[in-house]
Amino acid sequence: MAGQYAVAVLGKWYPEFGILDIDDRPRGTVDEIREKLELDEKNSMLFSSESPDSYHVLVKPEYNEKPPTVRLLNGAFRNFCDVHKIEIYPQSARPIRLPFGPVQVPLDLEYSHLGDWKSKLYWFQKLNGFDIREVRGQQLIFDFDIIGKPGLPNLTEDGSSLLQYGLQAPASRHDSQFKVLYFLWRRNVPIEAAEETTFSWIRRKHNGFSKDIIRHPQAVRKEIARQADHIYGKYELSKIYPDSTHNLYNGFISRPDVEDIIRIARGSLPRMRFLFHLVKFCYPRRFRTFVSVHTNRLIEWGSRRTYNKYLQEFEAQGLLKRGSAYQTGLFSKAIKLEWPFKSSSEAVLYDGRSIETFEGTVKTVFKPGEMRGLIENAGRNRQWTYKVIKRIWEDPGR
């Protein structure tokens, strides 16, 4: 953090950045590569690397407005990188220097004045996302989804304890492997590293409770691979993400934000829900000049009939501005939210994850009596307040 060392890391399962590593090329070739990918200063940053005539092009990868896995990121760039003799990072098995290190100088004119890592990170957070579907020469990637989302078992503490202390009872290896793998998935560890970590762990810390790992280690390794494929594959298709990615992509919110939402929406439950989702979504994207919000998302937060009305109401209150200069999708709305954003350290979390619904967040941070006072202070009478409280606390979701 003091700029004395460079740090190299392996990729997370859902990486938060992408780096095109270009070595032994003139600057003009680098510019041509960026142009072929339609990269500019709005959606990428160019840095020098540690060697002469070497460069890092930094992007914020997206896939159809969703976070891609490290496997998907590498797959989308594979053909392009082979053709142009460059590499894409992060990777699961090969480390790359973290961005904003002491030897990485910004080369774009717009960013050439940036000095410390804090200013570089700030401007990186303002970048528009780069959709990896636009990479030339990639193989067609199908965006599958599954109907219904599986729940998250509360196993992270078991997995953490098992990693530390090993097996605790006979006939527990299979379930314990699952808990360790699930714990590693929640921590955004790539699948290959999770499999290797779990296999190494069971060999070292079976504590005499498993004969299979001694007699048939390769069969155990294959079983671990099947378990990992099940966990990682199921949640990837369900668009359910590890904790850090969940909070970064779906957003987060603080208790003071909820209090402001109740006041601004004047205790109207549909408007409170809509504004809750808008603020929550904008939190991790708050450094951008405008946040691109797909129309389908706005409809999901409100309805096809009401979402535009709510936007107009909040715009009339000076709470947001709508723009059209740049939009990342044909049906996306460019929105700038005028909001007193708080520190991410104040985020309301349950089991390390931001809560997905307004009702669930309210029930986590307020008692019914506190909520009643907030709605009444927003100008509603007791009868109205009672109906809202009843609907919130009867909702089974968190």
Side-chain angles (χ1 to χ4, degrees):
M1 304 298 281
Q4 297 176 349
Y5 302 97
V7 179
V9 297
L10 298 174
K12 299 178 180 179
W13 182 233
Y14 286 93
E16 297 165 15
F17 62 90
I19 293 176
L20 285 169
D21 185 26
I22 307 173
D23 293 328
D24 299 319
R25 304 292 179 83
R27 172 64 185 272
T29 301
V30 177
D31 293 338
E32 290 173 4
I33 290 174
R34 290 178 82 184
E35 185 176 352
K36 289 179 180 178
L37 290 169
E38 298 185 7
L39 294 174
D40 55 23
E41 295 79 8
K42 293 179 181 179
N43 61 1
S44 68
M45 300 174 77
L46 177 63
F47 289 89
S48 63
S49 186
E50 60 275 15
S51 303
D53 296 322
S54 297
Y55 306 88
H56 283 176
V57 180
L58 188 62
V59 298
K60 298 179 73 172
E62 295 179 352
Y63 176 64
N64 197 21
E65 299 189 339
K66 304 179 187 72
T69 64
V70 67
R71 182 180 290 175
L72 186 59
L73 174 69
N74 282 258
F77 273 98
R78 183 175 294 115
N79 288 340
F80 185 88
C81 289
D82 287 346
V83 169
H84 294 89
K85 303 296 188 292
I86 62 178
E87 292 189 276
I88 180 68
Y89 288 92
Q91 299 177 14
S92 299
R94 297 179 64 193
I96 185 70
R97 289 173 184 257
L98 282 174
F100 320 133
V103 299
Q104 293 161 309
V105 178
L107 301 177
D108 291 309
L109 182 62
E110 289 82 350
Y111 307 126
S112 59
H113 65 286
L114 302 180
D116 61 6
W117 65 267
K118 293 180 181 179
S119 59
K120 296 172 185 175
L121 174 61
Y122 172 80
W123 284 97
F124 172 73
Q125 290 173 318
K126 292 176 73 70
L127 290 180
N128 296 317
F130 173 69
D131 196 326
I132 60 176
R133 293 179 302 172
E134 304 303 321
V135 179
R136 290 187 181 184
Q138 69 160 331
Q139 299 298 315
L140 182 63
I141 301 172
F142 294 98
D143 191 16
F144 292 113
D145 204 346
I146 62 176
I147 304 301
K149 291 193 174 184
L152 291 176
N154 188 15
L155 301 177
T156 52
E157 190 60 37
D158 286 343
S160 175
S161 178
L162 285 165
L163 264 178
Q164 186 174 0
Y165 300 110
L167 295 185
Q168 299 298 300
S172 64
R173 178 184 60 80
H174 182 84
D175 288 344
S176 296
Q177 287 170 182
F178 182 90
K179 292 174 180 178
V180 168
L181 287 165
Y182 174 75
F183 171 79
L184 295 172
W185 172 81
R186 287 282 297 267
R187 296 301 181 272
N188 210 4
V189 176
I191 186 170
E192 297 88 353
E195 292 175 14
E196 191 60 38
T197 298
T198 304
F199 181 68
S200 175
W201 162 78
I202 195 66
R203 294 189 71 178
R204 291 183 295 105
K205 294 189 176 182
H206 58 81
N207 295 336
F209 291 122
S210 173
K211 296 179 181 179
D212 287 341
I213 189 60
I214 299 172
R215 297 175 178 174
H216 310 289
Q218 292 310 309
V220 172
R221 181 186 284 274
K222 291 179 181 178
E223 183 185 53
I224 290 172
R226 289 193 297 269
Q227 289 177 302
D229 283 338
H230 173 75
I231 293 171
Y232 281 71
K234 175 178 69 172
Y235 290 128
E236 182 181 354
L237 288 173
S238 303
K239 305 300 185 289
I240 297 176
Y241 307 112
D243 294 356
S244 59
T245 306
H246 170 87
N247 297 338
L248 189 65
Y249 173 68
N250 293 320
F252 49 86
I253 208 160
S254 72
R255 174 181 170 129
D257 294 316
V258 179
E259 294 174 351
D260 288 340
I261 287 168
I262 295 167
R263 174 180 52 81
I264 293 168
R266 297 189 65 247
S268 165
L269 188 53
R271 288 171 175 81
M272 289 190 292
R273 287 188 189 123
F274 184 86
L275 186 54
F276 164 84
H277 286 293
L278 181 59
V279 172
K280 183 169 174 282
F281 184 78
C282 286
Y283 246 101
R285 302 163 178 85
R286 62 192 180 277
F287 299 101
R288 302 181 187 181
T289 304
F290 281 91
V291 175
S292 181
V293 186
H294 200 281
T295 303
N296 289 344
R297 197 181 297 275
L298 295 169
I299 294 171
E300 179 184 341
W301 296 344
S303 69
R304 190 175 298 276
R305 179 179 58 85
T306 62
Y307 85 85
N308 203 44
K309 179 175 74 170
Y310 293 160
L311 288 177
Q312 291 174 350
E313 290 176 2
F314 294 136
E315 189 172 26
Q317 296 178 48
L319 190 65
L320 61 86
K321 297 177 181 177
R322 289 188 283 182
S324 58
Y326 178 83
Q327 298 180 20
T328 59
L330 182 61
F331 301 105
S332 294
K333 307 293 184 183
I335 295 174
K336 179 176 178 58
L337 191 65
E338 304 290 347
W339 193 261
F341 291 106
K342 314 298 187 299
S343 167
S344 58
S345 63
E346 297 183 53
V348 177
L349 304 177
Y350 178 78
D351 191 25
R353 300 168 71 85
S354 62
I355 302 168
E356 297 195 36
T357 66
F358 174 74
E359 289 85 347
T361 303
V362 166
K363 288 187 287 187
T364 299
V365 299
F366 299 120
K367 296 179 180 178
E370 294 175 300
M371 186 65 179
R372 184 180 301 113
L374 290 169
I375 296 175
E376 290 178 351
N377 288 339
R380 297 298 184 175
N381 59 36
R382 289 188 177 182
Q383 184 178 8
W384 177 285
T385 302
Y386 171 78
K387 290 181 180 179
V388 173
I389 296 294
K390 188 172 185 294
R391 289 182 65 183
I392 290 175
W393 260 265
E394 286 183 350
D395 188 310
R398 176 171 288 279

